[in-house]
Amino acid sequence: MARIGVLLMAYGTPRSLEEVEAYYTHIRGGRPPSPEQVEALRERYRRIGGRSPLLEITMREAQALEARLARLSLGHSFHVRVGMRHAPPFIEEAVAGLLAEGVDRLIALAMAPHFSRMSVGAYHAAVRRALVARGAAIPVVEIGGWGAHPLFVMAMAERLKEALEDLPEGETIVIFTAHSLPARLREEGDPYEVELLDSARRVARMLGWKRWRFAYQSASATGEPWLGPDLREVLEGIAQGRDARHVVICPIGFVADHLEILYDLDVEAREAAQGWGLTFRRTRSLNDDPLLIECLAALVSEAVAGG
Ligand code: FEC
């Protein structure tokens, strides 16, 4: 019987408004943001009640996954721990904790279903760095993009079906969204966009829903071009072309509620859509939905079997 450490990784969030500056500095690779930038970010957290629920939700996912893996009786003991990329508990601390618990191998699973070297790739790199720093030579299975997994597609399709229930098909457009990244990734052959569009197609096909678009959200102002089209442009185009009266946003690139959902979509995009005369609805996030947990358990079991 092996002792298997499962590292559930997510973006990370400041635990209070005081932590925003350190968090933002970490995201920027150690370059401190200006006081104005810090204040603007604090204001976004204030607008969603002072903090984001991302850490608590990821903790709940980890507990549910550990319980589900135990019930599956796979013949191993599973230790599921949370590691964040930009805030405590950091990935490095989680790796150290799992090593102290005596795990003999690791499965690294990012709570971002679509692979990009700038997102999931960076989570995996943090795991490798943490192992090297501790001189630990245990096997690691890095789970790549899982946005095409049938259970993920089914879970997203259920949420979308629920949001579409009472809306007239001829007057409604679904917009699948994901976090934008610098556009140079396209030329570099990064799989992010291909995986996102594939996921969106699968969900739409499962419901037989034809009227959908894809847009990126939450781009940063870094001075370089980011992947588009941006959600605002798509909303404006729909309104100007009178293509639909209702829009349903399905943030397929995210699994949990956090700032980019609760502010960027529920506040900013909603205001924009309504300003253009559209009614706005968003699919509920999966969070610790049993079907998502089932999907994570399947990913871990497949990794154990394959790795
Ligand atoms: O709820 C929370 O407190 C955390 C919300 C949050 C999530 C998230 C997910 C992703 N990001 C991705 C890429 C980038 C790149 C930059 C960047 C910047 C920020 C800033 C905040 C922030 N991100 Fe984020 N991201 C979240 C929050 N993100 C806050 C800083 C302010 C701003 O620019 O808006 C640019 C870094 C730089 O300046 O150099 C790039 C990607 C994801 C989705 C995958 C994942 O979850 O890992 C990709 C959640």
Side-chain angles (χ1 to χ4, degrees), residues 22 25 42-43 46 71 85 114 135 155 163 198 218 233 302 305:
T25 305
R42 278 206 184 109
E43 186 51 28
R46 273 190 210 107
R71 280 200 308 278
R85 187 172 164 207
H114 308 93
D198 177 52
S218 315
E233 275 168 51
E302 286 155 23

Side-chain angles (χ1 to χ4, degrees), residues 68-76 78:
R68 183 70 191 115
L69 287 168
R71 280 200 308 278
L72 281 177
S73 306
L74 296 170
H76 306 293
F78 290 93

Side-chain angles (χ1 to χ4, degrees), residues 194-213:
V194 174
E195 289 193 10
L196 283 167
L197 290 171
D198 177 52
S199 249
R201 245 178 244 120
R202 285 170 192 262
V203 172
R205 201 185 305 135
M206 187 167 276
L207 296 184
W209 188 270
K210 306 231 163 33
R211 307 194 74 210
W212 63 271
R213 314 261 168 96

Side-chain angles (χ1 to χ4, degrees), residues 9-14 23-24 27-29 31 37 41 44-45 48 51-55 85-86 110-114 116 118-120 123 178-182 192 218-222 226 253-254 256-262 264:
M9 301 178 290
Y11 199 80
T13 185
Y23 170 68
Y24 203 168
I27 291 177
R28 290 165 51 89
R31 286 176 298 123
Q37 286 174 308
L41 183 53
R44 283 162 60 197
Y45 282 104
I48 64 162
R51 59 194 304 272
S52 148
L54 178 62
L55 179 59
R85 187 172 164 207
H86 294 299
M111 288 295 91
H114 308 93
S116 163
M118 279 188 77
S119 64
V120 178
Y123 288 80
H179 202 292
S180 186
L181 279 170
Y192 189 57
S218 315
S220 296
T222 54
W226 282 56
F254 299 117
D257 280 327
H258 48 59
L259 187 71
E260 318 297 71
I261 299 278
L262 302 174
D264 294 3

Side-chain angles (χ1 to χ4, degrees), residues 135-264:
I138 58 170
V140 183
V141 181
E142 296 175 354
I143 297 181
W146 46 276
H149 196 285
L151 290 171
F152 173 72
V153 173
M154 201 185 291
M156 275 290 179
E158 273 189 8
R159 289 294 209 247
L160 181 55
K161 188 169 173 225
E162 169 190 272
L164 287 169
E165 208 156 45
D166 55 346
L167 293 174
E169 188 162 353
E171 308 229 36
T172 306
I173 291 184
V174 170
I175 310 175
F176 293 99
T177 66
H179 202 292
S180 186
L181 279 170
R184 64 187 142 83
L185 285 179
R186 258 186 202 140
E187 287 78 64
E188 293 169 6
D190 192 87
Y192 189 57
E193 185 160 57
V194 174
E195 289 193 10
L196 283 167
L197 290 171
D198 177 52
S199 249
R201 245 178 244 120
R202 285 170 192 262
V203 172
R205 201 185 305 135
M206 187 167 276
L207 296 184
W209 188 270
K210 306 231 163 33
R211 307 194 74 210
W212 63 271
R213 314 261 168 96
F214 183 85
Y216 287 100
Q217 61 168 89
S218 315
S220 296
T222 54
E224 66 176 325
W226 282 56
L227 291 172
D230 186 78
L231 178 57
R232 286 177 69 93
E233 275 168 51
V234 172
L235 289 170
E236 192 176 4
I238 289 172
Q240 284 182 347
R242 298 183 189 280
D243 301 343
R245 285 197 301 130
H246 313 288
V247 289
V248 173
I249 310 295
C250 179
I252 197 158
F254 299 117
V255 292
D257 280 327
H258 48 59
L259 187 71
E260 318 297 71
I261 299 278
L262 302 174
Y263 182 79
D264 294 3

Side-chain angles (χ1 to χ4, degrees), residues 14-124:
R15 288 164 299 187
S16 65
L17 291 176
E18 287 69 51
E19 278 188 13
V20 167
E21 185 168 0
Y23 170 68
Y24 203 168
T25 305
H26 195 278
I27 291 177
R28 290 165 51 89
R31 286 176 298 123
S34 67
E36 293 72 29
Q37 286 174 308
V38 175
E39 191 40 38
L41 183 53
R42 278 206 184 109
E43 186 51 28
R44 283 162 60 197
Y45 282 104
R46 273 190 210 107
R47 291 285 298 270
I48 64 162
R51 59 194 304 272
S52 148
L54 178 62
L55 179 59
E56 286 76 10
I57 292 169
T58 314
M59 294 289 200
R60 289 210 305 271
E61 291 167 346
Q63 274 170 7
L65 175 60
E66 194 171 82
R68 183 70 191 115
L69 287 168
R71 280 200 308 278
L72 281 177
S73 306
L74 296 170
H76 306 293
S77 73
F78 290 93
H79 307 257
V80 185
R81 300 291 171 264
V82 168
M84 295 287 177
R85 187 172 164 207
H86 294 299
F90 282 104
I91 290 173
E92 294 71 11
E93 298 162 36
V95 169
L98 283 167
L99 291 173
E101 288 182 59
V103 302
D104 43 41
R105 50 181 134 146
L106 269 188
I107 294 175
L109 173 54
M111 288 295 91
H114 308 93
F115 187 91
S116 163
R117 73 169 176 77
M118 279 188 77
S119 64
V120 178
Y123 288 80
H124 292 322

